[in-house]
Amino acid sequence: MPERSLDAEGGTGQRAADSFSGSAPGRRRSLRDEVVGRLVRTALDDQVAKSGRSALRVVDAGGGTGHLAVPIARMGHQVTVVDPSPDSLAALERRAAEAQVTERVQAVQGDAVSLRELLGEATTDLVLCHSVLEVVDDPQVAVHAMASVLRPGGALSLVAANRYAAVLAKVLSGHLDQARAALAAADDPVEAGRTPRRFTPEQLRGLAENAGLVVVDERGVRVFADLLPAGLADEPGATAALLDLESQASAHPKFRVLSAQLHLLARRQ
């Protein structure tokens, strides 16, 4: 089946283009976006430092309407969004035009497994694959394709749903039967045919290493953000305090197990 980001947006993309959090409905969504945005900014800064180039070539696989691509283009980078949905790509182009970054954003219809054919080998500094591996036909084939378009020293940023956290999420939402099923499957090494998939840290690391990449960083994403009581984010200073707490906890292996998603950064040697 063609992949789509689980967080892909519909509509016309009216969020502010100079921020990863923008003005998405609700503080909780903005907080989630900002957590991922910080990871992306760090990856971009690291690639700029390592490559010596101020403008990178970035690919967002399954990037939908450009909620990451347009802010990255605003930073001066060239961004190609590869997505199977023509409607999402049309919304991306509208968003890029509104942000006046059309010349730095390219929309390409396709999927992650076709990146080599679409873009060529060793053409890209950074590939983003966020909330896409959950729904591709074969995650390993997709990661191999993404690795193939990286230049030497280029990096792959993977964000995927955390299998262990699914148990806690089901309990907190009151779905105890589903929590029991998730608990029973938590250590199952095979999820063939299941979508959306969830991954363990070991599985995500294995996908990158099997594609010939070297893992350089692993973090949790949304360790606490999804547990925030309703209304707390509206208190003065609460959002900034939580983001700082997320940043500190994200690198801690014990807390990473609790995070809603896993982030892995791997580099081609």
Side-chain angles (χ1 to χ4, degrees), residues 1 6 132-136 161 191 193-199:
M1 62 182 293
L6 297 183
V132 170
L133 291 182
E134 292 87 338
V135 294
V136 296
E191 286 192 300
R194 296 185 191 176
T195 55
R197 299 180 189 85
R198 299 180 180 90
F199 298 85

Side-chain angles (χ1 to χ4, degrees), residues 159-183:
V159 173
N162 180 6
R163 185 184 294 190
Y164 297 136
V167 180
L168 178 61
K170 297 299 184 184
V171 172
L172 292 176
S173 62
H175 299 131
L176 301 186
D177 289 341
Q178 295 179 28
R180 279 191 289 269
L183 181 61

Side-chain angles (χ1 to χ4, degrees), residues 197-253:
R197 299 180 189 85
R198 299 180 180 90
F199 298 85
T200 66
E202 295 78 14
Q203 288 172 327
L204 206 60
R205 189 183 313 122
L207 290 173
E209 291 175 345
N210 289 340
L213 302 177
V214 176
V215 176
V216 296
D217 193 32
E218 296 175 88
R219 294 182 180 270
V221 180
R222 291 157 43 201
V223 179
F224 307 117
D226 292 1
L227 307 178
L228 188 68
L232 181 59
D234 294 324
E235 296 183 8
T239 297
L242 184 60
L243 284 170
D244 288 340
L245 187 61
E246 286 274 353
S247 179
Q248 295 178 47
S250 67
H252 196 295

